Amino acid sequence: MEEPLRPFRLRGCGSPQKFGVAAGNLRGLLRKGCRLLQLPLAGSRLCLYEDGTELTESYFRALPAQTELVLLGPGESWRGCASDIERLLAAFCSQQGAVVEAARRLLTDERAPHRQKLLADLIHNLSENILAEDKEDDKKWFEGAFSRFKNKSSYLRHSCESRMRGYMREVTGFISNVHPAARDAYRGIIDLMADKLKSVKYNGCYFDRREEEEAARLCTAEGWFSCQGPFDRDDCPCKHSINPYSNRESRILFSTWNLDHIIEKKRAVVPELAEAVKTRDGREVNWEYFYQLLFTLDNLKLVHIACHKKTNHNLSCDKSRIFRKRKQTHEIS
């Protein structure tokens, strides 16, 4: 008994044009698609437009009518709807106007809400003055910001510095929980950390799009930031990204993103530091290890607010690094 025909939307790899094709089985759809797009049947295959999943006969039977599919010829690959966005971005530097127009054409025939948002965001960002740095070149971006800032990088550096100063205040404020006999030693470590932070300008380069080595670990020279959470997965499941340099709205939204401590600051790092100072018993507390956990990318990651894990991370400091050997000084007789 023949399978009833079901309609699908079919397109080739790298082409926005879609065709309506009906078939009762995977082989029949593949054969019709190859004939329509003039591809060889041998080595060709079908996959979902949405995420690039390659179709099998059993998977094909479970698909709803009007599912959007991509026909791949020999040697071609498809990683989902992100492939369309990647092609648009590849043309960005030299053909920004053409990219915006191509995105608009895709959007007119797009029904999936997630892809509509991706394309709308792309058009919005590319239509803005992303590469402008100085206030005179993008006055709208600075609306609502303090007048003392003359360029975008200085504003975002100040934002990062403010976060680091806030972390330092939390460490300092914990002194009331430190054993009275250990408070002087705790204050000494705070002073060392504060001096180091001042020497590196409170790590403001983390959010500077200029290509400092540390800043490059978080963003590109153009200013794109990607969400790095949750901490217990390989990467952000929603693929959050933002360019705070693009427009005023993105600048404001970026302020809601978090610098998340993987080993938690309040629950683990600061209490462990206080305990180390109390129980050091002649040993030297490795304050630079705690500094790295509190103020550097060794233990900080940038995450969208929705990916900021509010529950206990259940991670602790490395016990082998809490103390270090005292440096030996030898007198010459």
Side-chain angles (χ1 to χ4, degrees):
M1 181 177 177
E2 289 190 10
E3 298 278 354
L5 298 180
R6 289 184 297 142
F8 295 92
R9 290 183 294 155
L10 186 65
R11 58 187 286 183
C13 181
S15 171
Q17 189 174 7
K18 304 171 187 177
F19 302 91
V21 181
N25 55 58
L26 180 61
R27 182 69 178 175
L29 183 60
L30 185 61
R31 187 164 45 248
K32 288 182 179 180
C34 287
R35 191 183 309 124
L36 180 66
L37 299 179
Q38 299 183 346
L39 290 173
L41 184 60
S44 293
R45 59 213 188 278
L46 288 161
C47 68
L48 294 181
Y49 172 80
E50 185 72 35
D51 60 12
T53 301
E54 192 166 328
L55 299 189
T56 62
E57 190 65 54
S58 60
Y59 194 8
F60 171 80
R61 293 194 190 100
L63 291 177
Q66 298 298 341
T67 297
E68 188 171 340
L69 304 173
V70 176
L71 177 59
L72 301 175
E76 292 181 328
S77 62
W78 183 259
R79 298 194 304 108
C81 59
S83 296
D84 272 339
I85 307 300
E86 286 176 354
R87 283 202 307 278
L88 292 172
L89 290 175
F92 166 64
C93 290
S94 59
Q95 302 181 34
Q96 182 173 345
V99 173
V100 172
E101 182 57 33
R104 286 186 176 133
R105 284 199 303 269
L106 282 172
L107 190 57
T108 59
D109 193 34
E110 188 53 70
R111 295 179 179 84
H114 179 62
R115 296 201 297 271
Q116 284 179 331
K117 184 179 185 305
L118 281 174
L119 290 167
D121 287 348
L122 178 67
I123 292 169
H124 178 64
N125 283 329
L126 293 188
S127 298
E128 295 292 337
N129 199 359
I130 295 175
L131 298 181
E133 171 68 9
D134 296 330
K135 189 172 186 176
E136 292 302 314
D137 297 325
D138 194 354
K139 292 182 180 179
K140 187 177 179 180
W141 190 93
F142 289 87
E143 290 179 2
F146 292 116
S147 59
R148 71 176 182 272
F149 297 109
K150 304 303 181 185
N151 56 60
K152 296 178 181 179
S153 291
S154 65
Y155 176 88
L156 290 171
R157 281 199 305 273
H158 171 77
S159 176
C160 181
E161 290 169 11
S162 296
R163 297 189 194 205
M164 297 298 174
R165 290 176 189 271
Y167 298 160
M168 190 73 245
R169 285 194 294 270
E170 290 183 57
V171 178
T172 303
F174 195 81
I175 197 167
S176 61
N177 299 301
V178 178
H179 191 278
R183 286 178 184 173
D184 285 344
Y186 187 85
R187 288 191 188 94
I189 287 177
I190 289 174
D191 290 342
L192 290 170
M193 289 183 175
D195 289 343
K196 187 171 180 65
L197 268 178
K198 289 176 185 176
S199 72
V200 294
K201 298 180 180 179
Y202 290 87
N203 290 326
C205 70
Y206 288 169
F207 292 105
D208 190 337
R209 67 171 158 183
R210 295 178 305 172
E211 295 182 80
E212 283 95 342
E213 180 180 353
E214 286 293 325
R217 292 174 60 187
L218 278 180
C219 64
T220 67
E222 287 76 29
W224 283 98
F225 292 82
S226 296
C227 175
Q228 299 172 308
F231 78 91
D232 54 353
R233 300 179 188 172
D234 291 336
D235 55 15
C236 162
C238 298
K239 308 300 180 188
H240 294 118
S241 63
I242 192 170
N243 189 332
Y245 296 88
S246 63
N247 51 65
R248 178 176 175 270
E249 291 75 16
S250 293
R251 168 177 68 80
I252 294 171
L253 182 61
F254 188 58
S255 67
T256 68
W257 285 46
N258 291 300
L259 268 177
D260 190 14
H261 286 85
I262 302 171
I263 302 174
E264 294 171 281
K265 174 177 79 272
K266 291 182 179 178
R267 289 191 178 108
V269 181
V270 179
E272 189 71 69
L273 172 60
E275 182 66 16
V277 173
K278 174 186 172 184
T279 61
R280 65 192 188 280
D281 192 26
R283 294 173 293 181
E284 183 178 356
V285 176
N286 185 4
W287 68 268
E288 289 176 319
Y289 170 60
F290 288 98
Y291 172 90
Q292 290 170 354
L293 294 181
L294 290 166
F295 305 110
T296 78
L297 297 182
D298 289 352
N299 192 47
L300 284 168
K301 62 174 186 174
L302 186 65
V303 295
H304 185 278
I305 189 170
C307 292
H308 184 207
K309 187 170 182 178
K310 305 294 194 301
T311 57
N312 198 324
H313 294 186
N314 293 316
L315 295 173
S316 58
C317 301
D318 183 348
K319 299 294 184 182
S320 68
R321 301 185 64 187
I322 291 175
F323 299 100
R324 64 185 177 191
K325 292 182 178 179
R326 291 186 179 276
K327 295 179 181 179
Q328 299 293 324
T329 56
H330 301 281
E331 295 183 3
I332 300 176
S333 58

